[in-house]
Amino acid sequence: MKPFFIAVFGCLLSAVTYAETDILPQGNDTLGALVADFDQYYGAKLKEHNIPGGAYAIVQGNKIIATAGFGVRQQGHTEPVDPYTVFRIASVSKTFAGGLTSILAAEGHFNWDDKLVDYIPSFSFKSKKYNSQLKLKHLLSQSTGVMPNAYDNLIEADVPLERILPQFSKIDPLCPPGQCYGYQNVLFSLIDQVIQKSTGKTYAEQLQERIITPLQLPTASVGLDGFFSTENRAMPHVRARGRWYPTRVAESYYHFSPAAGVNASAIDLGYWLIAQLGHNPAVLSDELLASITAKQVKTRRDLRRKEWRRYLTDAHYAMGWRVYQFGQDELIYHGGWVQGFRAEIAYSREHQLGLVMLMNAESNLINELGTYFWSGVLTAIHQQRREQKAIAQAQ
């Protein structure tokens, strides 16, 4: 499939003035070749692995320069995936939580150093000495100190939050809050209650008003109802007996919206990337973006990730984003996985480039695709720089 170029979307961008990037400028033969190669590779790999459907978008500066859909929304049906097809984005939702929470904190609705118990007095660890140490910033930076994925099994069993929270009184953090990494969904999602108590509006309402509407994300939504409200949606698939089979849309993680409750298309996430690259300062200023992506806690386990481990030399968690040292370049990244879906988003602020990928199947292929893109494009950028330097020196 040929890339679906952004020219048709110009009307959505015309209301905002953006700065252009001078890294691999648009129209550059190298960038065009890289995009065409990735498009072919992406489609071929999805076909090779029999992935029912997928989509991607590539962003440069203030524009989505290429986007495409592949396959079908549901196995056994003919409706195709296109750039506007909505997927569950799973934990990529955390990037929206990081952005929204930072906006509200900057407006003074709460402070990052506020104690969680000031908003949820009933929350307690086994040893109460830790209660006053757990701050809001620890929730979004995955530095609560609690064992990784604590009580995710209860989320997946559809146990409501009010029955999960008392379970934390049976455990203590592995280290004092703020001192070590432990990936969380339950604790991360408690920012929902903080936002509602401090602003008088739900997390979903604030996300719509502060991010989805001002960024003009055409198909993004929050929650199960939002997912089913759009006809152009990709259905989930799981693998069994060597084949992909459609499965039900699991509702459980939708009850933990900041962690995994957003639905979006490749186009939505393309515009989300444009904001991350600094081209919508009315919503996300440079100061806010710097605070969101500031390294908070080291994530050594990421250095062992399949495919990525060949390139990563350092890894941290920020506020709803991961910060990867990919060779000599910094990538801001997050992946997502929920029943029947995979998602991945990453960008380089320095090089003004971003990539988002979505699949309606639980395949690790997404790791191969992401590293293929970033290793190729970053190698090309540095090669171009070397050539430009050599030409300058020769003159």
Side-chain angles (χ1 to χ4, degrees), residues 14-307:
S14 59
V16 184
T17 300
Y18 300 107
E20 292 290 345
T21 175
D22 59 359
I23 302 297
L24 288 179
Q26 292 173 14
N28 179 284
D29 291 342
T30 302
L31 180 59
L34 287 166
V35 169
D37 174 73
F38 179 75
D39 179 82
Q40 183 178 22
Y41 187 79
Y42 191 95
K45 281 295 181 178
L46 263 62
K47 186 174 182 180
E48 177 186 336
H49 290 260
N50 298 310
I51 306 297
Y56 75 82
I58 299 171
V59 168
Q60 184 187 28
N62 68 326
K63 293 181 174 65
I64 302 174
I65 60 170
T67 181
F70 300 83
V72 294
R73 301 177 209 165
Q74 183 172 340
Q75 197 79 284
H77 294 249
T78 59
E79 294 87 355
V81 171
D82 63 44
Y84 285 96
T85 299
V86 170
F87 292 72
R88 293 189 70 175
I89 66 171
S91 285
V92 173
S93 302
K94 292 182 174 70
T95 69
F96 285 84
L100 174 62
T101 306
S102 296
I103 290 169
L104 296 173
E107 291 178 354
H109 293 284
F110 45 79
N111 191 291
W112 283 118
D113 286 320
D114 288 347
K115 302 171 187 176
L116 177 63
V117 291
D118 290 341
Y119 298 88
I120 309 177
S122 62
F123 181 87
S124 181
F125 288 120
K126 183 177 180 180
S127 298
K128 290 182 172 51
K129 66 178 182 179
Y130 293 114
N131 293 353
S132 62
Q133 297 179 32
L134 185 61
K135 299 178 180 180
L136 302 188
K137 63 183 178 183
H138 300 140
L139 305 181
L140 273 291
S141 64
Q142 302 288 18
S143 60
T144 62
V146 175
M147 67 184 75
N149 300 96
Y151 301 117
D152 279 4
N153 60 321
L154 298 183
I155 295 179
E156 291 161 11
D158 283 325
V159 177
L161 177 63
E162 59 267 23
R163 287 178 53 198
I164 296 177
L165 277 188
Q167 303 302 315
F168 285 92
S169 65
K170 302 176 182 178
I171 63 172
D172 277 334
L174 301 176
C175 68
Q179 295 188 18
C180 65
Y181 169 73
Y183 190 80
Q184 304 294 320
N185 286 302
V186 177
L187 291 178
F188 188 98
S189 294
L190 295 183
I191 200 65
D192 185 341
Q193 294 189 34
V194 174
I195 288 173
Q196 186 157 352
K197 288 188 177 182
S198 61
T199 71
K201 294 183 179 180
T202 67
Y203 177 82
E205 289 170 338
Q206 288 286 7
L207 194 65
Q208 184 70 49
E209 292 177 14
R210 302 305 186 96
I211 289 178
I212 294 175
T213 296
L215 291 183
Q216 301 179 55
L217 308 186
T219 57
S221 64
V222 183
L224 184 67
D225 290 342
F227 180 78
F228 280 106
S229 69
T230 178
E231 182 179 346
N232 186 1
R233 61 181 182 268
M235 299 304 289
H237 297 79
V238 294
R239 195 166 180 82
R241 299 185 295 279
R243 294 179 54 195
W244 294 104
Y245 291 90
T247 187
R248 68 182 182 89
V249 177
E251 186 176 356
S252 56
Y253 276 97
Y254 275 129
H255 298 306
F256 298 79
S257 289
V262 176
N263 314 299
S265 65
I267 294 297
D268 293 320
L269 293 176
Y271 288 117
W272 182 230
L273 278 173
I274 288 169
Q276 306 310 310
L277 292 173
H279 300 294
N280 206 316
V283 178
L284 290 171
S285 66
D286 284 345
E287 183 179 7
L288 268 179
L289 290 169
S291 68
I292 292 166
T293 57
K295 299 172 183 177
Q296 300 294 325
V297 62
K298 203 171 189 65
T299 59
R300 293 179 179 83
R301 287 184 60 186
D302 282 9
L303 302 181
R304 301 192 296 272
R305 286 188 60 196
K306 187 176 181 181
E307 303 297 339

